[in-house]
Amino acid sequence: MREIKIFCPATIANVSCGFDVLGLCLDSVGDEMIIRTTQKKGISITKITGQELPKEVEKNVAGVAAMELLKNTTSAYGFEIEIHKRIKPGSGIGSSAASAAGAVYGINELLGKPFGLTKLVEFAMKGEALASGAAHADNVAPALFGGFTLVRSYHPLDVIPINTPSELYATVVHPQIEVKTADSRSVLKQNIPLKKAIVQWGNLAGLISGLYTEDYDLISRSLHDEIVEPLRSLLIPGFNEVKEVTIKAGALGCGISGSGPSIFALCKGLNSAKKVGEAMSKIYDKYGVDYDVHISKINTKGIKQIKN
């Protein structure tokens, strides 16, 4: 194989109660990448469409992640990368993760799959560190594994795939304002009261249990963020109104997607997901803010090869 074209999906990180450890993969929105082997060793980024992003390898998350993978091989080839962005940077649905994960996935396929998925997550995290200043895996892990993933440990890295209930859908509204990941991390506190921590890990355990048992009521009760959402929601106009109307419209729960400004809701069934999308739209119509709405089944495959 000399060339591969792949779909690199958007992702939702944190999923309310799982800051930096829990994420899920979307199916309806994502980037496309084309990766080719070259006789010249190293990495080059030859084309970027959809967004103005640097082609310099060391300044691009895909380039940084790809170089990290290459350090761990004895490949006689180099690789050139085309990136066709459909996920807007700063949207909160894993734009940088799609590029970083896509780069390492595609190169690994062209090399004959020498690395497992967890190792690919490690390489992709280098790209995330460039984007946000923190090497987190809660976007790149679901992009590579598909479905829901839990990062049980970072040292050593231990990624656990989590069951996806069959009727679960995600609805995401992306108001066209930019909240940079680095900025949204800066508002977080480094220490939290034990009382809040107890609430948080109870909800995380409840959510994981609900996903495995496909108990939608338990999922709903557990989609609560005690620690991060109260601070980050202040950066997102209309957040509280969106949350209120989505619950009224039938969502299981609602929260900030990653670092924002996107807001996600989990829903049981497509009809419910559509109603929630309509409710979200009305809020930002009222605000006069441009926005996108994505309604998606949970993508249990992750990154996938597509035909040219």
Side-chain angles (χ1 to χ4, degrees):
M1 194 192 304
R2 297 295 307 279
E3 178 179 294
I4 187 170
K5 185 177 183 181
I6 53 178
F7 171 76
C8 309
T11 47
I12 294 171
N14 304 336
V15 197
S16 289
C17 52
F19 178 70
D20 269 10
V21 299
L22 193 64
L24 67 86
C25 189
L26 298 174
D27 200 40
S28 64
V29 58
D31 296 341
E32 291 183 4
M33 297 177 75
I34 299 171
I35 302 173
R36 303 179 185 90
T37 57
T38 61
Q39 294 300 316
K40 182 182 177 183
K41 289 189 176 184
I43 300 293
S44 61
I45 298 172
T46 57
K47 188 175 184 180
I48 300 174
T49 65
Q51 296 292 328
E52 292 290 327
L53 295 169
K55 288 183 181 177
E56 296 95 329
V57 170
E58 68 281 0
K59 295 180 181 179
N60 186 292
V61 296
V64 168
M67 287 300 295
E68 186 65 23
L69 184 153
L70 274 196
K71 279 187 206 171
N72 290 268
T73 73
T74 55
S75 171
Y77 298 103
F79 299 89
E80 61 180 35
I81 302 171
E82 285 186 24
I83 306 170
H84 303 283
K85 295 298 291 181
R86 309 281 190 272
I87 312 169
K88 293 175 183 176
S91 60
I93 51 174
S95 179
S96 60
S99 295
V104 298
Y105 175 93
I107 292 172
N108 194 54
E109 290 289 310
L110 292 172
L111 289 173
K113 298 185 182 179
F115 299 108
L117 290 175
T118 300
K119 198 66 182 173
L120 294 183
V121 170
E122 275 189 37
F123 299 146
M125 285 169 63
K126 294 292 185 180
E128 289 288 70
L130 174 68
S132 68
H136 56 97
D138 49 349
N139 288 106
V140 292
L144 285 159
F145 278 81
F148 284 82
T149 55
L150 173 71
V151 184
R152 188 206 64 80
S153 166
Y154 276 93
H155 306 288
L157 187 64
D158 187 8
V159 179
I160 313 296
I162 304 296
N163 180 66
T164 298
S166 58
E167 295 181 80
L168 201 62
Y169 280 77
T171 304
V172 181
V173 62
H174 172 212
Q176 302 295 304
I177 56 174
E178 186 173 0
V179 176
K180 291 185 177 179
T181 303
D183 293 339
S184 65
R185 281 185 173 268
S186 70
V187 303
L188 302 181
K189 296 177 181 177
Q190 294 303 306
N191 297 291
I192 57 174
L194 180 61
K195 187 176 180 180
K196 287 181 179 289
I198 291 168
V199 172
Q200 193 83 342
W201 61 54
N203 281 320
L204 179 58
L207 180 55
I208 299 297
S209 179
L211 292 170
Y212 271 109
T213 58
E214 307 208 0
D215 183 336
Y216 292 92
D217 287 337
L218 178 55
I219 291 169
S220 180
R221 297 199 304 275
S222 303
L223 283 168
H224 171 72
D225 182 0
E226 187 76 8
I227 295 167
V228 176
E229 184 181 295
L231 300 171
R232 284 186 169 172
S233 61
L234 302 175
L235 303 174
I236 305 171
F239 174 81
N240 291 329
E241 290 171 81
V242 169
K243 186 165 185 174
E244 183 179 349
V245 299
T246 58
I247 300 302
K248 284 182 180 176
L252 298 171
C254 175
I256 301 169
S257 180
S259 58
S262 287
I263 304 167
F264 81 93
L266 294 186
C267 306
K268 183 180 181 183
L270 178 59
N271 287 338
S272 177
K274 288 179 177 177
K275 287 178 184 176
V276 166
E278 290 168 5
M280 289 173 162
S281 297
K282 287 178 182 176
I283 296 300
Y284 285 113
D285 283 340
K286 182 180 75 174
Y287 270 81
V289 174
D290 290 337
Y291 61 89
D292 297 317
V293 173
H294 307 290
I295 296 171
S296 178
K297 197 144 177 56
I298 309 303
N299 172 0
T300 57
K301 301 296 183 186
I303 296 169
K304 59 188 176 184
Q305 186 172 355
I306 52 180
K307 293 180 180 178
N308 275 315

